[in-house]
Amino acid sequence: STATGPGLKAAVTGEAAHYVVEVRNDEGERVKGGGAHVTGELVLGAESVRVTVRDKRNGTYECEYTVHTPGTWTLNVLVG
């Protein structure tokens, strides 16, 4: 699977940031349907922010989050 978009590298405090996850099969081809378990979470020390994930039912998942504290956050993206 791959993830692309500006929300993977930077976000503005208080504004929604976005990225897209594209799920791929074992052969590296994009999955054409939905239903994969895609989650995301940002972590800054003891603080965390959950990522909202929208299944587009075509193998892609729109992801959005908003951070309210400035800092260097770690983004964990999981596909299962």
Side-chain angles (χ1 to χ4, degrees):
S1 298
T2 59
T4 58
L8 294 173
K9 296 185 182 214
V12 176
T13 304
E15 294 183 14
H18 302 87
Y19 63 93
V20 175
V21 173
E22 185 175 274
V23 177
R24 297 186 173 272
N25 62 21
D26 292 337
E27 288 78 37
E29 300 165 336
R30 189 174 103 189
V31 174
K32 303 218 187 311
H37 185 70
V38 177
T39 62
E41 180 183 46
L42 289 104
V43 179
L44 176 65
E47 189 174 352
S48 66
V49 172
R50 200 176 116 226
V51 176
T52 301
V53 179
R54 182 171 168 230
D55 186 346
K56 298 294 287 176
R57 300 278 178 212
N58 65 359
T60 63
Y61 297 77
E62 293 180 348
C63 304
E64 177 181 295
Y65 64 88
T66 303
V67 295
H68 296 284
T69 304
T72 302
W73 290 77
T74 298
L75 172 61
N76 300 306
V77 179
L78 303 170
V79 178

